[in-house]
């Protein structure tokens, strides 16, 4: 069979009902402009530096669950306000490998320039190697390149729904191992690696996870941290992970965000993978990320 013969063209029906679900309920407290039918919505009418009343907060939370990644513009907030907004969604995590903002252990600072290139240009979901991976992350742009440095987000619920019935049946009930060492292990000396392995042993998570709030199923393996499928021959496991990871690359499941200084993205890490385009070097790009701890995938 030719290569083209194996590809799927035409409308992706799986996107339709997610779009219809999102269009069903209007928002009264916030403005909302979808970036794509299923993932990504820009929120307006909210000042994250001010007091967010409970009704407005509930709508932000609903938009976050429905669109899986929400964006805010022109949020000239302090670091404390950034932390306070994220804290309303849960307990914050400290990242053991990425550089923190000086004086703020709970803030990861991605500071890129001529000397430090962007390497987050691989589809992934954050900290899947933890027993309790992130609920989501709130990422703020401190300094952005004149052009480039967009972040792309992919809807892993749509990606799951787009799989064939045969593939869904094949992955049902499978577990995969996630391991920090696949990526963060590379720069560690053997002694530190051994210590970190003790602190963060490899974990097993379901290949298809069910969202704890929406009940939606999504693909939960990613190209950075998933090492293998439990109980499967290595080649078969690699091929299956590869097939599942490639679903994140399908444009119909994605949105793409163009940053401005003081833009904020807040993604639902339980249902989304992301990719930071590394096309801006040697221009500087500085981002600050606060991550909320989630629950154990089930
Ligand atoms: C990340 O992978 O969390 C960073 C995303 C970005 O810098 O856009």
């Amino acid at each position: 069979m030719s290569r083209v013969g194996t590809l799927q063209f035409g409308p992706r029906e799986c996107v339709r009902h997610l779009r219809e679900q999102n269009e069903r309920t209007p928002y009264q407290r916030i403005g909302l402009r979808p970036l794509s039918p299923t993932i990504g919505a820009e929120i307006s009418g909210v000042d994250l530096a001010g007091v967010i009343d409970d009704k407005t907060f509930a709508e932000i939370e609903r938009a976050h669950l429905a669109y899986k990644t929400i964006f805010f513009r022109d949020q000239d907030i302090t670091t404390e306000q950034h932390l306070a907004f994220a804290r309303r969604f849960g307990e914050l995590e400290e990242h053991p490998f990425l550089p923190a903002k000086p004086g703020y252990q709970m803030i990861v600072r991605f500071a890129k320039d001529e000397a430090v290139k962007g390497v987050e240009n691989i589809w992934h979901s954050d900290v899947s190697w933890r027993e309790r991976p992130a609920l989501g992350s709130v990422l703020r742009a401190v300094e952005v390149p004149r052009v480039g440095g967009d972040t792309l987000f992919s809807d892993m619920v749509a990606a799951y729904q787009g799989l064939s019935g045969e593939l869904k049946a094949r992955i049902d009930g499978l577990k995969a191992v996630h391991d920090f060492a696949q990526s963060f292990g590379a720069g560690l000396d053997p002694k530190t690696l051994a210590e970190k392995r003790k602190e963060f042993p490899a974990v097993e998570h379901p290949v298809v996870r069910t969202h704890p709030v929406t009940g939606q199923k999504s693909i939960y393996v990613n190209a950075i941290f998933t090492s293998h499928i439990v109980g499967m021959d290595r080649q078969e496991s690699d091929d299956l992970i590869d097939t599942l990871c490639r679903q994140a690359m399908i444009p119909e499941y994605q949105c793409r965000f163009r940053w401005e200084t003081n833009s904020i993205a807040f993604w639902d890490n339980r249902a989304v993978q992301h990719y930071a385009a590394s096309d801006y070097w040697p221009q500087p790009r500085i981002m600050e990320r606060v991550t909320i701890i989630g629950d154990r995938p089930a």
Side-chain angles (χ1 to χ4, degrees):
M1 191 192 289
S2 75
R3 172 170 284 272
V4 168
T6 65
L7 301 179
Q8 181 194 338
F9 295 103
R12 289 189 176 251
E13 285 176 31
C14 52
V15 166
R16 177 179 163 184
H17 100 263
L18 290 168
R19 185 194 70 227
E20 287 173 352
Q21 218 170 30
N22 286 342
E23 286 168 349
R24 217 164 283 147
T25 341
Y27 292 81
Q28 277 152 4
R29 297 295 185 118
I30 60 173
L32 185 142
R33 188 175 70 87
L35 266 67
S36 89
T38 75
I39 183 167
E42 216 169 294
I43 306 295
S44 56
V46 178
D47 176 11
L48 299 184
V51 177
I52 302 171
D53 64 69
D54 289 347
K55 283 193 174 146
T56 304
F57 182 75
E59 286 205 350
I60 292 173
E61 204 167 21
R62 179 151 65 83
H64 182 249
L65 290 168
Y67 284 91
K68 305 179 186 78
T69 305
I70 52 176
F71 304 98
F72 303 85
R73 297 277 186 197
D74 302 320
Q75 301 291 333
D76 189 6
I77 58 174
T78 64
T79 299
E80 273 72 22
Q81 287 162 342
H82 186 178
L83 288 163
F85 175 65
R87 226 175 249 127
R88 283 190 77 166
F89 294 87
E91 195 189 338
L92 306 184
E93 82 160 27
E94 187 178 325
H95 201 291
F97 303 111
L98 292 171
K101 177 172 178 154
Y104 295 94
Q105 278 314 109
M106 301 299 184
I107 298 209
V108 171
R109 189 169 163 93
F110 298 97
K112 313 294 181 184
D113 55 22
E114 191 161 4
V116 185
K117 293 177 186 160
V119 292
E120 293 77 23
N121 56 336
I122 177 163
W123 285 104
H124 65 285
S125 112
D126 288 332
V127 293
S128 66
W129 44 269
R130 282 190 189 272
E131 207 171 282
R132 290 174 60 200
L135 174 157
S137 287
V138 182
L139 183 69
R140 189 171 81 90
V142 176
E143 185 175 349
V144 295
R146 192 174 37 78
V147 63
D150 296 355
T151 306
L152 290 80
F153 298 87
S154 191
D155 180 346
M156 301 315 291
V157 173
Y160 173 75
Q161 293 189 2
L163 298 178
S164 68
E166 191 187 335
L167 187 46
K168 279 185 187 151
R170 185 168 162 225
I171 61 178
D172 183 39
L174 292 181
K175 293 205 167 206
V177 173
H178 298 247
D179 186 353
F180 79 83
Q182 299 230 131
S183 144
F184 297 119
L188 302 179
D189 61 75
K191 183 169 168 281
T192 314
L193 178 61
E195 280 166 11
K196 292 293 175 195
R197 270 208 178 286
K198 244 189 184 160
E199 203 178 340
F200 305 105
V203 289
E204 287 182 14
H205 294 311
V207 166
V208 178
R209 74 177 288 184
T210 303
H211 196 286
V213 184
T214 65
Q216 291 170 323
K217 290 181 171 186
S218 62
I219 296 175
Y220 197 65
V221 294
N222 68 84
I224 305 190
F225 302 123
T226 310
S227 70
H228 62 280
I229 311 269
V230 176
M232 197 174 270
D233 155 76
R234 189 81 220 189
Q235 190 59 52
E236 193 187 351
S237 163
D238 285 351
D239 291 348
L240 183 55
I241 292 172
D242 185 50
T243 299
L244 295 173
C245 287
R246 272 190 284 114
Q247 305 309 307
M249 301 172 190
I250 294 174
E252 281 88 344
Y253 305 151
Q254 298 173 3
C255 71
R256 179 174 183 133
F257 187 63
R258 180 152 194 193
W259 294 95
E260 294 164 359
T261 302
N262 290 327
S263 296
I264 285 182
F266 176 23
W267 61 89
D268 185 342
N269 193 61
R270 301 164 294 189
V272 168
Q273 292 196 24
H274 57 283
Y275 176 111
S278 189
D279 54 0
Y280 52 88
W281 183 86
Q283 300 174 85
R285 180 180 186 272
I286 300 175
M287 313 292 280
E288 292 180 354
R289 188 181 86 185
V290 180
T291 294
I292 304 139
I293 299 172
D295 40 23
R296 189 163 191 152

